[in-house]
Amino acid sequence: MASSKNNTMFFLFLLVTLLIGSSSAQLSTSFYSKSCPKLYQTVKSTVQSAIQKETRMGASLLRLFFHDCFVNGCDGSLLLDDTSSFTGEKRAAPNVNSVRGFEVIDNIKSAVEKACPGVVSCADILAVTARDSVVILGGPNWNVKLGRRDARTASQGAANSSIPAPTFNLNRLISSFSAVGLSTKDMVALSGAHTIGQARCTTFRARIYNETNNIDSSFARTKQNSCPRNSGSGDNNLAPLDLQTPSKFDNNYFKNLVNKKGLLHSDQQLFNGGSADSIVRSYINNPSSFNSDFVTAMIKMGDIRPLTGSNGEIRKNCRRRN
């Protein structure tokens, strides 16, 4: 009897310990309320300044968060520079000559370090910066969950395999998002981030020259004017992902899809006779539904495998490990 009672007490103790450990590892919207009360105003002022200098930067900063979270979770690994003894993710195929805004993150980190040294992770800075970029460009607001720590490692291989490509069809898109715990609705909502920003000719060349059934012909011809057929010519020429309001966060991106004017192959796959069509139509008819689902999906994406507690570190410089 005594042995049975002791075993019961032991398992209760173990359960309580696990629950405490689990709760302490959860992200919180008030994580820095005492340790860095000026965090939000510090970040937003720097983001605001960057977007005033170049509107496109808002989309670039939002994209950094996507590309970070899809590779082993939201851990700031994308920000690490390569060294002679370390290979990061910046030169992975989806990132090289594509992701940008690292200098803005540097500026934000410097400002935050002045306000509260050694407290806020680079991973959390990416999360707040993404939210602020959306809000500044006219999109919805939300309370960002914080408490992530920074990775000491990175994976170029995982970046190559985990980040959805602009050539993906609908099934591959659904599978990529499902692999990180995001639903088809989450995927369509998050793809709505393409309501802002621009893409390089290399990412849509094949679509405007080779696709015929699901692309508006006049739209294709217009894009061909700035994106030559031959690879190596005009590769980095830019075109807006949303041809109507590329600097405003709204639902026009989805309206373009219905008119077969999605810039990327992966964009148009969301409205091409498949399971995502009804979601696209709902976002056209109800913009507030898009905003609400986008916020839900952003929060879910921010929950992907964060480092918390004693895992990882708080980097002093986002580009290198301490």
Side-chain angles (χ1 to χ4, degrees):
M1 289 289 291
S3 175
S4 176
K5 185 176 181 180
N6 288 339
N7 285 338
T8 301
M9 292 300 292
F10 171 77
F11 285 118
L12 283 173
F13 172 79
L14 183 61
L15 179 61
V16 171
T17 302
L18 288 172
L19 288 172
I20 291 173
S22 174
S23 64
S24 66
Q26 298 301 306
L27 304 180
S28 166
T29 57
S30 59
F31 190 83
Y32 297 110
S33 59
K34 293 183 179 178
S35 59
C36 193
K38 294 183 179 180
L39 171 63
Y40 294 122
Q41 65 193 72
T42 302
V43 174
K44 189 166 187 177
S45 64
T46 309
V47 175
Q48 183 88 56
S49 177
I51 292 176
Q52 284 177 343
K53 290 178 182 177
E54 183 194 9
T55 306
R56 181 190 172 205
M57 186 55 70
S60 298
L61 294 173
L62 174 58
R63 189 161 176 252
L64 283 178
F65 189 52
F66 282 103
H67 281 227
D68 183 46
C69 290
F70 264 78
V71 183
N72 296 326
C74 311
D75 60 4
S77 58
L78 174 61
L79 303 175
L80 291 168
D81 282 343
D82 289 359
T83 68
S84 57
S85 59
F86 177 84
T87 300
E89 297 165 13
K90 290 182 178 179
R91 297 195 63 77
N95 296 331
V96 66
N97 298 322
S98 181
V99 290
R100 58 197 295 274
F102 296 110
E103 295 80 9
V104 176
I105 299 300
D106 292 339
N107 293 338
I108 295 170
K109 178 63 172 174
S110 295
V112 171
E113 283 295 304
K114 288 180 181 177
C116 37
V119 172
V120 182
S121 68
C122 300
D124 276 346
I125 284 174
L126 283 180
V128 178
T129 298
R131 187 274 309 272
D132 287 350
S133 296
V134 170
V135 173
I136 290 168
L137 292 176
N141 197 356
W142 66 93
N143 294 323
V144 183
K145 293 164 67 175
L146 301 171
R148 302 169 191 82
R149 289 168 65 85
D150 297 320
R152 297 187 179 96
T153 61
S155 176
Q156 188 175 106
N160 280 323
S161 62
S162 300
I163 298 172
T167 55
F168 277 10
N169 62 24
L170 181 60
N171 286 338
R172 291 191 72 183
L173 288 170
I174 291 172
S175 295
S176 291
F177 281 74
S178 177
V180 292
L182 297 171
S183 68
T184 300
K185 180 182 281 189
D186 296 328
M187 182 268 291
V188 177
L190 290 172
S191 297
H194 284 181
T195 183
I196 54 175
Q198 302 186 62
R200 295 179 303 143
C201 168
T202 53
T203 63
F204 61 85
R205 176 182 278 130
R207 170 160 165 75
I208 62 174
Y209 286 103
N210 301 336
E211 297 182 24
T212 56
N213 295 331
N214 64 345
I215 189 168
D216 179 85
S217 57
S218 62
F219 171 76
R221 285 194 299 271
T222 299
K223 296 307 167 191
Q224 290 169 6
N225 291 334
S226 60
C227 182
R229 181 187 293 271
N230 294 329
S231 179
S233 177
D235 286 359
N236 292 319
N237 290 351
L238 299 171
L241 288 157
D242 171 3
L243 71 156
Q244 297 184 64
T245 51
S247 298
K248 182 181 179 184
F249 196 98
D250 55 26
N251 70 334
N252 280 334
Y253 164 80
F254 298 106
K255 297 177 182 178
N256 296 332
L257 301 185
V258 173
N259 292 317
K260 298 185 178 182
K261 294 180 180 179
L263 183 64
L264 306 180
H265 175 81
S266 56
D267 287 329
Q268 195 59 55
Q269 284 293 296
L270 303 186
F271 193 85
N272 193 35
S275 59
D277 284 18
S278 60
I279 304 173
V280 170
R281 287 194 184 280
S282 72
Y283 291 161
I284 292 172
N285 296 326
N286 191 348
S288 63
S289 175
F290 163 52
N291 285 341
S292 175
D293 288 351
F294 180 81
V295 165
T296 298
M298 283 293 290
I299 293 171
K300 282 179 67 175
M301 186 174 71
D303 284 341
I304 299 173
R305 296 172 59 183
L307 296 173
T308 58
S310 59
N311 295 316
E313 63 183 13
I314 305 297
R315 279 185 227 142
K316 298 175 183 176
N317 182 327
C318 291
R319 292 177 179 264
R320 58 177 179 265
R321 298 169 291 180
N322 291 342

